[in-house]
Amino acid sequence: MEIQHIVSGFSAKLSSAPSIPIGKQLFSLKFPSLLSSSYPSIQSQNFEVPSGAFYPISIEKKDRFYSSRRRVRCRSSSNTADPNKENEVRAQVAGRRKKLAVFVSGGGSNFKSIHEASKRGSLHGDVVVLVTNKSECGGAEYARNHGIPVIVFPKAKAESDGLSPNDLVATLRRFEVDFILLAGYLKLIPVELTRAYERSIFNIHPSLLPAFGGKGYYGMKVHKAVIASGARFSGPTIHFVDEHYDTGRILAQRVVPVLANDTAEELAARVLREEHQLYVEVAEALCEDRIVWRKDGVPLIQSKANPNETY
């Protein structure tokens, strides 16, 4: 059995700074105080990122940044292997807090639920960066107010700044992101990102996929279509992200009844409440390495209370 673990270091110098556009250059990221006792020590680090990538930062030129990154492999095939050391490596893999990138296009209510779960300690991970196609949306504002760096993607006429797909991948790598969570992000994820983060990108959709999914089905349009169809049930779906809209493997769903006299707004409100709870539960499972794959390629979630049970 092989276990891979990335050992890396990231820290930042505490400071409060205004949002400003930047050119491609070396700089140190300075974030407001957002770290709990679970974070490592805090020091300045230097990154090289393309123009306009980050907003809540100040710029201070430093020496070049070097990232310490190594892979630890544990093999049980050798008769001389020390089982105690193998168990220690497994414990380190399970104990490391995961680093999350969240993508939003609007208010980011699911993003806020995930961030709050991280702050209260139920989620064994941290949102280290927010990606948005609308730099002034509510989700981006919330991120800046909580010291989370904001990246604009993709480049657009309405946005003066933004990254290319390859620049985005490189930047997320510098943040050492483990998982990407789409939370109301309305742009198609580029193939460069799906290939770089295979089986590590997730989306939440406000219907029971595969029904009422695909291009053009988002927000209130989904709930109006559900009611018009006469469907008796709806609810959120969390699925893996591939190169198309809403076609990746389904990971989790939550059923919500459609009432006889529902309006789209009423149905949306009930589904959203379930979204907030379901996405946090799935994020917790991700950060605790409780996603397993059935032989036929269907992803399942291990029960935290009983690892022998999946759902």
Side-chain angles (χ1 to χ4, degrees):
M1 180 176 180
E2 185 175 278
I3 297 177
Q4 294 187 348
H5 175 44
I6 306 251
V7 179
S8 57
F10 176 84
S11 52
K13 194 173 182 180
L14 294 181
S15 177
S16 178
S19 299
I20 56 175
I22 62 173
K24 186 173 182 179
Q25 58 181 302
L26 290 174
F27 62 87
S28 64
L29 296 181
K30 295 185 176 182
F31 302 104
S33 178
L34 63 141
L35 304 177
S36 66
S37 59
S38 60
Y39 278 82
S41 61
I42 304 169
Q43 300 173 351
S44 288
Q45 301 288 6
N46 299 296
F47 290 70
E48 185 176 339
V49 298
S51 175
F54 297 90
Y55 286 83
I57 60 172
S58 63
I59 301 174
E60 178 182 339
K61 291 188 178 180
K62 297 282 186 180
D63 296 330
R64 182 171 297 275
F65 167 77
Y66 294 92
S67 174
S68 60
R69 190 180 184 93
R70 64 185 177 90
R71 293 184 181 274
V72 178
R73 297 178 180 271
C74 177
R75 299 181 183 274
S76 58
S77 57
S78 174
N79 292 330
T80 60
D82 186 341
N84 292 328
K85 290 184 178 180
E86 291 184 2
N87 291 334
E88 182 179 349
V89 171
R90 292 191 183 98
Q92 291 174 353
V93 171
R96 181 175 65 85
R97 290 181 70 86
K98 301 300 190 294
K99 297 182 179 181
L100 311 175
V102 181
F103 286 42
V104 304
S105 292
S109 63
N110 276 303
F111 159 47
K112 295 173 185 176
S113 294
I114 292 167
H115 181 246
E116 289 168 358
S118 174
K119 290 197 300 181
R120 67 174 175 262
S122 67
L123 177 63
H124 195 63
D126 305 291
V127 179
V128 297
V129 63
L130 182 93
V131 178
T132 182
N133 62 309
K134 297 181 179 181
S135 61
E136 301 304 321
C137 70
E141 181 181 0
Y142 176 90
R144 293 189 190 98
N145 290 338
H146 288 80
I148 300 172
V150 175
I151 294 175
V152 175
F153 177 83
K155 291 181 178 179
K157 293 180 179 179
E159 296 286 351
S160 59
D161 304 305
L163 301 183
S164 68
N166 288 329
D167 289 337
L168 176 63
V169 171
T171 304
L172 294 179
R173 292 297 194 198
R174 290 186 180 100
F175 275 98
E176 299 174 345
V177 167
D178 295 296
F179 298 112
I180 296 170
L181 307 179
L182 310 187
Y185 185 71
L186 302 182
K187 294 292 184 179
L188 186 65
I189 299 302
V191 64
E192 292 89 344
L193 193 58
T194 59
R195 290 175 179 173
Y197 283 88
E198 186 178 4
R199 288 188 174 184
S200 297
I201 309 176
F202 304 84
N203 181 50
I204 190 162
H205 184 78
S207 75
L208 296 174
L209 293 176
F212 308 104
K215 186 175 182 178
Y217 278 97
Y218 61 89
M220 205 59 66
K221 293 181 179 181
V222 173
H223 305 296
K224 289 179 179 179
V226 169
I227 291 173
S229 74
R232 301 305 196 259
F233 297 96
S234 188
T237 298
I238 295 177
H239 63 94
F240 286 83
V241 173
D242 56 21
E243 299 169 16
H244 308 283
Y245 285 108
D246 304 328
T247 58
R249 284 286 192 174
I250 292 171
L251 178 60
Q253 292 181 314
R254 187 70 52 81
V255 175
V256 173
V258 180
L259 305 181
N261 297 314
D262 259 344
T263 64
E265 290 76 14
E266 290 169 340
L267 178 59
R270 284 204 307 283
V271 172
L272 187 61
R273 285 195 293 270
E274 296 299 328
E275 286 184 34
H276 294 165
Q277 182 178 351
L278 183 63
Y279 219 168
V280 168
E281 290 176 5
V282 169
E284 289 174 351
L286 287 173
C287 292
E288 295 168 4
D289 299 314
R290 290 192 284 112
I291 307 301
V292 297
W293 291 81
R294 212 166 62 188
K295 290 183 179 179
D296 59 357
V298 173
L300 301 171
I301 299 175
Q302 283 182 327
S303 167
K304 187 172 184 177
N306 185 357
N308 294 322
E309 295 181 358
T310 57
Y311 56 91

